[in-house]
Amino acid sequence: MIQAGNDLGHASVTQADNSGKRIVLIGMPNTGKSTFFNRLTNASATVGNWPGMTVALLQANVVIGGIPTEVVDLPGIYNLNGFSEDEAVVRQFLENFSVNLIVVVMNATQIDRQIRLLLQVQALGVPILAILNMVDEAQSYGIEIDAEELARRLSVPVLLLSAKYGQGYHNVYAAIAHALRQEPASYHIHHLEDRLAQFPELPGETIDALLVGAVKMPTHRALNLTASLDRLLLHPILGLPLFLLGIFLTFWLIWTVGLPAQDVMGWLTGGLQTYLIEPLISPLPPVIQDLILNGLWNGVATVASFVPLILLFFVLMAILEDSGYLSRSAYLMDALMERLGLDGRSFVMQMLGFGCNVPALMGTRVMRSRPLRLLTMLIVPFSLCSARLQVFVFILAAVFPDRRGAIALFSLYLLSFLVALLTAALFQRVFKHEEPFVLELPPYRFPTMGQVFKRSWLEVRDFLTRSSGFILFGCVAVWMVTNLPPGATGLDTVGGQIGQLLDPVMRPLGIPPQLTLALIFGFVAKEVVVGALAVIYGSTDATVSQTIAEQITFAQGYSFCIFCLLYTPCLATVATLLSESKSWRFTLFSVGFSLGLAWCASFIFYQSVLRLGFT
């Protein structure tokens, strides 16, 4: 029987029907709460926006025991009285939204430390259910838990679970369904802090007395594997090189597997275009055909091309996170990044942005501090992604026909790092976060591929839902700019006219109107810049490199590369910036700042080269 507490002076009953119920999940970080959430909801979560809440929360509508139920996954917290943003979010949610049941998820291997949060939640006077997750690990460590005895002492149902492998899940599901059927009311918590103040934290001796006899803790020998690995992976000298090697391998996998997968997706969309769409629209006027193919379908193909890359990225991220190494990599880089207003996770995301900026931006969700996340999102687009690399290789091969091209390319990578670090240093006071970097170092674990792919698919689905419309709109808009008026090509189009109009602005950078028009194409995706140059210069792909080599100098080519590296990121990146920041103001600022920075950097380089007598 769920105990709701005897004093409901701060938790009023606000509903008494069996229609919709609401469950919230509360627990400390690294308790497997999200894994349990995905299992309970069958990975059907959506990112919900709640009135008055500053952050989005994962939620899912499911049927539990025949009762429609909304399940909300609240951020991981250590203490309901804490000062972190996550803890404020949890308090805000509990005070503003009624709940029928609170499920407190704890790590069974750390029950002596995590039970304090359970006692705090119990003090709220709302029906609760306690889950001791990771019971498989607890058993391997030699922990013995008498759940029935613990439940009797706490007056709260206590169930053992391995959300990762499903052990004990049916009992947990039945207990939740039973609680929802037995408890028709929902509860609204008033004056949460006052309520907690009436129940001061219990001293350690009382906690020990509560657990003795019900819980037997592990032996030191059972924990030696994690300690042994940490002695190597967190070594003061070897730890950082091993971390960089791990990042390199991750980047290498994205590069060698993700990029060819994009080609496969391009082959599929190209085949659909050739054998299905083009025959279907052939009766339509040519301009409409062009709009459908190069506007709408190009947008669909652009979205589709990111799917395998995002899926691979989050598979790797999930493996790193579930194995426990992501927390350790953030720890290794934290000392350096802290001086720039960032933390170790920011460095990880920036490095992974060299594969593709879009999933790296989505990966910033591991940060709960909004200023920290915004600052990280501000620097990630400066990572030299694979799409930009294609452009640079093409341009540098034209203007640097010898080994100097490799040096120039390497210098662009260095510039990418330098700009990101300077930007972080410049804006660390603007996006200042007060939250201390509290990091949980979980034991090393083997990820389960089912959970890894389930989490990755959620991220892909979220990307498709939130960004595809924006990308389609942008592709159509760019098509109109670069194809109107009807029959016009190159510099005669609206985009070409804009390129010439911008000539007084771009000429000091050494960038002629043709390359300015290519940059407009590049706003859709940097991958299309090379193909666009062939159209603009009226050459074939095979001869456009020679044409460019004849018409622009190395200084102009390198200046163009600097501008392309730093200016407005691609449409998918901008759409992701908007969806992740949920702020037009921040998105416009990010785009405007990078555009201004690109102009200044190219200007300084080109004019300096001219002053030194090089052309």
Side-chain angles (χ1 to χ4, degrees):
M1 179 68 180
I2 300 286
Q3 300 295 316
N6 295 323
D7 181 3
L8 298 181
H10 293 266
S12 62
V13 178
T14 58
Q15 176 184 331
D17 59 58
N18 279 323
S19 54
K21 299 294 180 69
R22 178 178 293 146
I23 298 174
V24 296
L25 306 186
I26 292 180
M28 291 187 180
N30 295 310
T31 58
K33 183 165 58 68
S34 296
T35 303
F36 171 63
F37 175 79
N38 287 333
R39 184 175 287 278
L40 181 64
T41 62
N42 197 25
S44 60
T46 58
V47 178
N49 293 309
W50 297 78
M53 301 293 290
T54 56
V55 299
L57 301 172
L58 279 181
Q59 67 183 73
N61 294 309
V62 296
V63 176
I64 299 178
I67 302 174
T69 305
E70 182 182 62
V71 185
V72 183
D73 186 15
L74 295 178
I77 60 170
Y78 293 96
N79 192 321
L80 276 176
N81 278 324
F83 298 98
S84 73
E85 292 188 18
D86 284 348
E87 287 155 344
V89 165
V90 172
R91 286 196 299 271
Q92 187 183 11
F93 184 93
L94 293 176
E95 287 188 318
N96 287 282
F97 301 96
S98 61
V99 298
N100 296 87
L101 176 68
I102 297 178
V103 177
V104 181
V105 182
M106 296 180 287
N107 185 338
T109 67
Q110 301 172 350
I111 185 173
D112 54 331
R113 187 161 60 88
Q114 303 202 357
I115 199 169
R116 293 179 183 277
L117 180 61
L118 170 67
L119 296 174
Q120 279 191 322
V121 175
Q122 190 179 21
L124 299 178
V126 174
I128 63 173
L129 181 69
I131 293 177
L132 292 175
N133 192 20
M134 303 181 186
V135 68
D136 54 311
E137 282 187 11
Q139 291 169 346
S140 69
Y141 293 156
I143 298 176
E144 297 178 14
I145 302 173
D146 186 342
E148 292 185 2
E149 175 60 20
L150 198 57
R152 188 187 66 79
R153 296 182 184 184
L154 293 169
S155 299
V156 168
V158 178
L159 294 109
L160 304 180
L161 171 71
S162 169
K164 186 176 178 181
Y165 296 107
Q167 179 183 346
Y169 174 70
H170 292 298
N171 292 336
V172 170
Y173 183 90
I176 292 175
H178 177 75
L180 292 176
R181 282 194 298 270
Q182 294 296 312
E183 184 56 63
S186 63
Y187 293 81
H188 206 122
I189 302 170
H190 304 290
H191 311 296
L192 185 148
E193 294 185 10
D194 294 342
R195 178 71 174 176
L196 292 175
Q198 298 176 16
F199 296 88
E201 286 193 4
L202 297 176
E205 295 78 11
T206 305
I207 297 292
D208 292 341
L210 183 65
L211 296 178
V212 68
V215 179
K216 293 183 180 177
M217 296 307 290
T219 64
H220 291 293
R221 184 178 180 182
L223 295 172
N224 278 344
L225 176 61
T226 291
S228 299
L229 287 173
D230 276 345
R231 276 198 288 271
L232 173 65
L233 296 176
L234 298 182
H235 190 274
I237 297 175
L238 298 178
L240 190 57
L242 288 173
F243 161 70
L244 294 175
L245 176 63
I247 288 293
F248 171 76
L249 291 176
T250 304
F251 179 61
W252 179 81
L253 276 173
I254 292 174
W255 184 278
T256 56
V257 179
L259 297 185
Q262 278 192 305
D263 294 338
V264 172
M265 191 61 77
W267 176 78
L268 288 174
T269 54
L272 284 173
Q273 175 178 325
T274 302
Y275 298 107
L276 180 63
I277 298 176
E278 289 181 0
L280 283 176
I281 65 174
S282 58
L284 300 175
V287 66
I288 301 299
Q289 291 185 43
D290 197 47
L291 170 61
I292 293 174
L293 291 178
N294 297 315
L296 290 170
W297 183 247
N298 183 40
V300 173
T302 300
V303 172
S305 69
F306 280 98
V307 170
L309 206 57
I310 291 174
L311 182 63
L312 175 63
F313 177 88
F314 278 104
V315 164
L316 296 173
M317 282 290 294
I319 291 174
L320 286 173
E321 187 173 355
D322 288 358
S323 67
Y325 188 66
L326 187 63
S327 300
R328 287 164 173 84
S329 61
Y331 167 78
L332 284 169
M333 292 304 302
D334 188 61
L336 171 64
M337 302 305 284
E338 185 183 15
R339 299 177 182 177
L340 302 172
L342 301 168
D343 70 22
R345 294 167 295 185
S346 307
F347 182 80
V348 174
M349 293 307 138
Q350 196 208 352
M351 291 292 292
L352 296 178
F354 282 87
C356 178
N357 293 172
V358 171
L361 288 170
M362 296 171 69
T364 61
R365 293 174 188 172
V366 297
M367 305 167 191
R368 300 305 306 179
S369 166
R370 181 168 172 78
L372 172 62
R373 196 177 174 207
L374 291 179
L375 185 57
T376 304
M377 286 196 284
L378 190 63
I379 67 170
V380 165
F382 294 126
S383 297
L384 198 161
C385 65
S386 57
R388 291 184 178 112
L389 180 63
Q390 299 172 30
V391 180
F392 298 156
V393 169
F394 181 82
I395 295 293
L396 295 176
V399 299
F400 291 107
D402 49 31
R403 66 182 60 183
R404 289 176 298 170
I407 299 174
L409 182 60
F410 180 66
S411 70
L412 290 173
Y413 273 100
L414 294 180
L415 180 63
S416 172
F417 262 116
L418 181 63
V419 168
L421 296 180
L422 290 177
T423 299
L426 182 64
F427 289 102
Q428 61 174 313
R429 295 186 183 278
V430 177
F431 300 101
K432 188 175 182 179
H433 65 99
E434 303 291 344
E435 185 177 355
F437 183 37
V438 179
L439 192 63
E440 188 86 17
L441 294 182
Y444 291 103
R445 306 182 178 108
F446 287 104
T448 53
M449 295 315 294
Q451 292 293 330
V452 166
F453 282 107
K454 191 175 287 185
R455 289 179 54 188
S456 303
W457 165 242
L458 283 175
E459 300 293 349
V460 171
R461 192 182 63 184
D462 188 45
F463 168 75
L464 294 175
T465 303
R466 299 167 70 180
S467 301
S468 55
F470 188 88
I471 294 173
L472 279 175
F473 173 79
C475 286
V476 171
V478 171
W479 176 88
M480 296 177 69
V481 168
T482 52
N483 286 273
L484 297 177
T489 59
L491 296 180
D492 294 328
T493 64
V494 173
Q497 296 298 313
I498 294 174
Q500 296 184 72
L501 185 66
L502 292 174
D503 191 51
V505 179
M506 302 301 283
R507 182 65 63 180
L509 315 184
I511 299 177
Q514 292 89 343
L515 292 184
T516 301
L517 181 55
L519 291 171
I520 295 175
F521 278 100
F523 177 61
V524 176
K526 299 298 182 285
E527 293 93 333
V528 305
V529 168
V530 176
L533 287 170
V535 176
I536 295 167
Y537 280 97
S539 305
T540 64
D541 288 346
T543 60
V544 67
S545 179
Q546 183 179 352
T547 304
I548 289 175
E550 292 172 353
Q551 295 190 13
I552 67 173
T553 66
F554 84 91
Q556 288 177 294
Y558 194 79
S559 178
F560 174 80
C561 289
I562 292 175
F563 195 91
C564 193
L565 171 66
L566 304 178
Y567 90 124
T568 309
C570 71
L571 201 56
T573 300
V574 175
T576 307
L577 266 175
L578 177 61
S579 64
E580 294 299 320
S581 69
K582 303 184 187 308
S583 169
W584 275 102
R585 185 179 177 185
F586 173 79
T587 303
L588 292 175
F589 168 75
S590 176
V591 170
F593 172 72
S594 60
L595 190 61
L597 187 63
W599 191 92
C600 292
S602 293
F603 177 83
I604 292 171
F605 167 78
Y606 187 68
Q607 293 300 321
S608 299
V609 169
L610 291 183
R611 296 292 184 275
L612 293 172
F614 298 101
T615 59

